[in-house]
Amino acid sequence: MSRSKHKGSGDVAGSAKKRQAITMETKVKIIERVERGEKMIDVARSYNMNRSTISTILKNKDKIMEHVKSAVPMLSTIISKKRGKVMEEMEKHLSVWMQDQHQHRVPLSLMLIQEKAKTLYEDLKKKHGKESEGASFHASHGWFHRFKARANLHNIKVSGKAASADTVAAQEFPEMLREIIDEGAYLPEQVFNVDETELYWKRMPDRSYISKEEKLTPGYKATKDRLTLLFGGNASGDKKLKPLLVYHSENPRALKNITKGSLPVVWRSYPKAWVTQTIFQDWFFHHFIPEVEKYCLEKDIPFNILLLLDSAPGHPPFMDDFHPNIKVVPLPPNTTSLIQPMDQGVIATFKKYYLRHTFRQAVQASDESGTTLRQFWKDYNIYKAIKNIDLAWREVTAITMNGVWKNLCPQFVRDFCGFEKMDEESKEVFSDLVTLSKKLELDLQENDFIELLAVQHEELTNEDLMELEDRRKDEERQEEEEVTEKPKRFTMQEMARGFSLFEEALLVFEAQDPNVERYMRVAAAVQNAIQGYRVIYDEKKRASTQT
């Protein structure tokens, strides 16, 4: 018998199949990571385990924690002290709330955290009913310091005062920046800025009946669903970067069979929909660098970039060492609202356009198929939102992208009337929104839309925190039950039908239009637009003939 057949063989393939021994310490860490909100699939990958193994560990959580407690009494009081279901849930929700506040640069004080902890605890006691009776919680200083260590929140500073905009730094920085630009001989095409913003992608003004009805409906509120977008562009205004989009779910139902690399945004996911340092670095290396390098090649200018960044928690420190051709200059703290270009009108303009596209589509659906606004809004999903994000971002003009640098780099601004034009465009958008709302039988005025667009970040309520956790569990269940469907693909028969429909639509317009030149211009534009599909069709036809 050969040696490789013995049980004690050192064969690599054989050893790979051996059952993996998992220590109690590892099991505790796995439980803690999942309870902090990480997806089971991500935790499984990091430990090179199957998802079913992680699921089994979580099912045996109580036994594992009890074993740790009995085996190592001192360690158990630090790591896994059993404090009751309500207490554990409260701390999990409080951790999410604190991180969310930190992510949006909202100052936290000890008193504020203690008050939030107490209200969360009381709301969870009501939710769990009898099983939590008799328990009491005082949110003492000692509890807070132990909780902060347990939740690994060392990076979150607790202070007493809110930081106000630093007008002095905002006045001094442009001159310092001019010296950096002159010293590096940067062209306006080479100077970039990026900034993040939240988008409540499925929200109507508060006075609309859609919004009022949802508030009365129990369960998760779609209006609370948010995503984070990162927008960027250069000082010349002629280069808008492909937006980065971070959503809480990696595979929402609306993106079934959609290749994410083909989306008009850089798609990333994180349970809280934040731009984390890991996500930012991935975007920087795999999207920003290739995109600006290609742009410089097309413009026939040196690949020598100056990137201006604010101090958001998701921006890694020491980024100036990341690439030899990219110099990263940090903006002074608390000056975003005063001098950061993307925050001087680009993001606000984009959100207006996004809302207008959504309302236009609702009116179109009503006119063409009689779809009610209630049904349109029910069917409005993240895929449709992404398409509207793309349309709105395309609509932001080069004049706007250049004009917003007025406060930071006035030497690069070509048209100082840009802000006046932005104001005119803004009034036009609001006027359109009011007109569209009337067609949808909504009694909305300009102030309703201004109020809606002014929402930058809403603090997570106790109800929101509980619903977020319930939704996370639902999504994990759905991922486990998900059946893989066939991917999208072109067929000659369906493509031929599509071309026929285009031709039929053009004939309808030709029969009505007395202006032949206008019709010919539209027909040529349509044929040019679908040329990419004709190339695919011709290749399929050629392959079919050869076969």
Side-chain angles (χ1 to χ4, degrees), residues 408-473:
L408 193 59
C409 300
Q411 72 273 26
F412 289 155
V413 179
R414 298 184 298 274
D415 184 1
F416 280 90
C417 297
F419 281 100
E420 293 176 13
K421 290 178 182 176
M422 284 170 62
D423 288 340
E424 289 174 12
E425 287 177 5
S426 180
K427 289 176 183 176
E428 182 184 333
V429 174
F430 284 127
S431 176
D432 289 346
L433 284 168
V434 171
T435 302
L436 290 166
S437 72
K438 287 178 180 176
K439 291 181 180 179
L440 294 169
E441 298 181 1
L442 294 172
D443 182 26
L444 299 174
Q445 300 303 318
E446 185 175 322
N447 284 340
D448 294 309
F449 294 105
I450 292 173
E451 184 182 314
L452 174 62
L453 292 166
V455 176
Q456 297 295 325
H457 168 66
E458 285 188 347
E459 181 183 331
L460 294 169
T461 65
N462 295 350
E463 184 185 10
D464 294 339
L465 290 163
M466 288 185 263
E467 286 177 352
L468 277 171
E469 178 62 15
D470 291 340
R471 184 177 66 181
R472 184 185 69 80
K473 290 177 180 175

Side-chain angles (χ1 to χ4, degrees), residues 8 12 43 88 202 309 341 349 365 397 399 415 452 463 521-522:
V12 175
V43 176
E88 285 183 6
K202 195 168 182 176
L309 276 183
T349 301
T397 65
I399 292 174
D415 184 1
L452 174 62
E463 184 185 10
R521 190 167 60 249
V522 171

Side-chain angles (χ1 to χ4, degrees), residues 39-42 51 248-253 472-483:
K39 289 185 177 181
M40 281 199 289
I41 189 69
D42 294 334
R51 183 175 178 146
H248 63 79
S249 173
E250 171 62 23
N251 298 300
R253 288 182 180 275
R472 184 185 69 80
K473 290 177 180 175
D474 287 341
E475 286 175 354
E476 284 200 344
R477 268 197 302 273
Q478 287 171 10
E479 283 181 13
E480 288 177 350
E481 298 166 1
E482 212 61 76
V483 178

Side-chain angles (χ1 to χ4, degrees), residues 230-401:
L230 181 143
F231 290 117
N234 62 1
S236 65
D238 69 332
K239 178 56 183 174
K240 289 187 291 186
L241 300 169
K242 186 176 183 178
L244 166 67
L245 185 154
V246 186
Y247 194 49
H248 63 79
S249 173
E250 171 62 23
N251 298 300
R253 288 182 180 275
L255 294 186
K256 270 289 189 64
N257 298 324
I258 301 292
T259 305
K260 295 188 177 70
S262 70
L263 292 172
V265 296
V266 178
W267 176 272
R268 292 292 178 269
S269 67
Y270 184 71
K272 315 302 183 301
W274 300 330
V275 175
T276 63
Q277 291 191 14
T278 302
I279 289 173
F280 189 90
Q281 287 184 48
D282 175 80
W283 167 84
F284 182 82
F285 285 111
H286 297 112
H287 296 278
F288 177 72
I289 292 174
E291 195 172 350
V292 295
E293 186 172 9
K294 181 184 176 185
Y295 165 77
C296 289
L297 187 64
E298 291 170 350
K299 296 287 287 187
D300 194 24
I301 58 176
F303 175 39
N304 187 32
I305 303 298
L306 179 67
L307 175 62
L308 300 169
L309 276 183
D310 64 14
S311 56
H315 297 167
F318 316 118
M319 280 194 63
D320 211 20
D321 301 329
F322 279 13
H323 196 281
N325 297 75
I326 298 176
K327 182 177 180 62
V328 179
V329 175
L331 290 165
N334 309 316
T335 58
T336 290
S337 62
L338 302 173
I339 59 173
Q340 177 154 232
M342 293 301 110
D343 207 57
Q344 300 303 297
V346 170
I347 289 171
T349 301
F350 157 79
K351 288 184 176 179
K352 291 168 195 168
Y353 291 157
Y354 172 83
L355 197 58
R356 182 166 66 178
H357 279 294
T358 309
F359 269 67
R360 278 176 177 169
Q361 288 165 8
V363 170
Q364 186 179 358
S366 175
D367 291 344
E368 293 179 358
S369 58
T371 304
T372 64
L373 176 61
R374 191 177 281 106
Q375 186 60 46
F376 171 84
W377 207 236
K378 182 181 177 183
D379 296 337
Y380 189 73
N381 57 37
I382 189 67
Y383 180 52
K384 293 177 181 178
I386 289 170
K387 291 194 285 187
N388 278 342
I389 287 168
D390 179 49
L391 289 170
W393 184 230
R394 288 174 185 270
E395 202 173 350
V396 177
T397 65
I399 292 174
T400 298
M401 295 295 291

